[in-house]
Amino acid sequence: MSNEGTPDGQIGEALIIRVIQDQMMNVNIGGNLSLPCLPEVQPLASVQDQKLLDQLAQSVKVIGDKLNQEHSLNDQIDGLARLGDRKIFSKLVDGVFYDGQINWGRIIVLFYAVGKLAVKMVLANLPTVFSEILESCLDFFRTKLLIWIRNMDGWISSISALTQFSIEHISASSFYTIPSPVVAFFCGILLGSIIVWKFRISS
């Protein structure tokens, strides 16, 4: 697995891989299909960084378990999966970051959706598209998201930021101006943030 030589780069790439691995564990692969090889996630040099990665992975898993119940969000992901080509990831990014703004909630929703789409490509026996989605996500993380994450003082800042995110950040009128595919993603962001908050205070 390539990395940017810094803990934030390594944590982000490892988190993407672990999200996909977790999604793979939840599906039944038929006899005619085989699981694609994923880049190996190497343990981080710092114990603190490894603990942060583990905590982030668990938080995303908790969010993902709840987002699995959000039909509107998953309908949008299913619609993207039906494209079955390299346009999937770019359309996903357009939906999540429709206004060019980045926040922790959107990053988590992106990773969740990538995991779901990756599994759907495996089940559809489209290994090339699977690889394209993974590489596109890693590249987008390295070239776009990592810069923002570093400017926010790293992944460690995501924990407190997600716990503070609430429905008050979005007014009711926002749902009338955002295109319907994006509404689903925004709902996912809100719900995910609430779940992380509950996870943190109960741990």
Side-chain angles (χ1 to χ4, degrees):
M1 181 182 66
S2 171
N3 61 66
E4 292 297 304
T6 66
D8 289 322
Q10 296 168 24
I11 289 171
E13 293 191 23
L15 185 59
I16 293 169
I17 301 302
R18 286 180 59 164
V19 168
I20 295 176
Q21 288 175 334
D22 285 343
Q23 292 285 355
M24 292 288 188
M25 293 175 61
N26 295 328
V27 298
N28 182 21
I29 304 297
N32 296 328
L33 300 174
S34 59
L35 289 175
C37 294
L38 290 169
E40 185 177 355
V41 177
Q42 298 292 339
L44 299 176
S46 165
V47 174
Q48 287 185 328
D49 289 336
Q50 186 63 47
K51 287 183 177 180
L52 176 58
L53 171 60
D54 293 341
Q55 184 176 13
L56 286 168
Q58 180 60 30
S59 296
V60 174
K61 188 176 186 302
V62 171
I63 294 171
D65 289 344
K66 191 63 178 179
L67 291 182
N68 281 332
Q69 304 172 27
E70 293 300 303
H71 299 299
S72 58
L73 173 63
N74 286 284
D75 285 346
Q76 296 299 326
I77 294 174
D78 288 342
L80 289 174
R82 284 192 288 271
L83 293 174
D85 59 28
R86 65 179 61 197
K87 297 178 182 178
I88 291 177
F89 184 76
S90 62
K91 289 185 177 295
L92 174 63
V93 169
D94 289 344
V96 178
F97 303 102
Y98 72 99
D99 58 359
Q101 298 299 310
I102 301 173
N103 62 45
W104 293 114
R106 293 183 182 192
I107 292 174
I108 298 305
V109 170
L110 177 71
F111 288 6
Y112 164 82
V114 164
K116 297 286 287 188
L117 287 169
V119 169
K120 291 179 183 297
M121 294 306 100
V122 172
L123 294 176
N125 199 20
L126 295 172
T128 300
V129 181
F130 169 91
S131 298
E132 288 173 348
I133 291 174
L134 174 58
E135 288 304 318
S136 295
C137 185
L138 290 171
D139 183 65
F140 184 74
F141 168 75
R142 295 165 188 151
T143 59
K144 301 293 184 182
L145 300 181
L146 183 56
I147 297 171
W148 182 89
I149 289 169
R150 286 171 173 164
N151 289 337
M152 297 298 292
D153 296 326
W155 281 104
I156 189 65
S157 300
S158 68
I159 303 300
S160 60
L162 285 174
T163 61
Q164 294 169 7
F165 198 94
S166 73
I167 198 167
E168 295 175 359
H169 286 76
I170 300 179
S171 65
S173 61
S174 299
F175 291 95
Y176 294 98
T177 58
I178 299 173
S180 57
V182 180
V183 171
F185 284 114
F186 244 135
C187 291
I189 294 166
L190 287 170
L191 182 60
S193 301
I194 293 169
I195 296 303
V196 171
W197 178 76
K198 289 182 178 179
F199 171 74
R200 288 285 293 165
I201 64 175
S202 62
S203 60

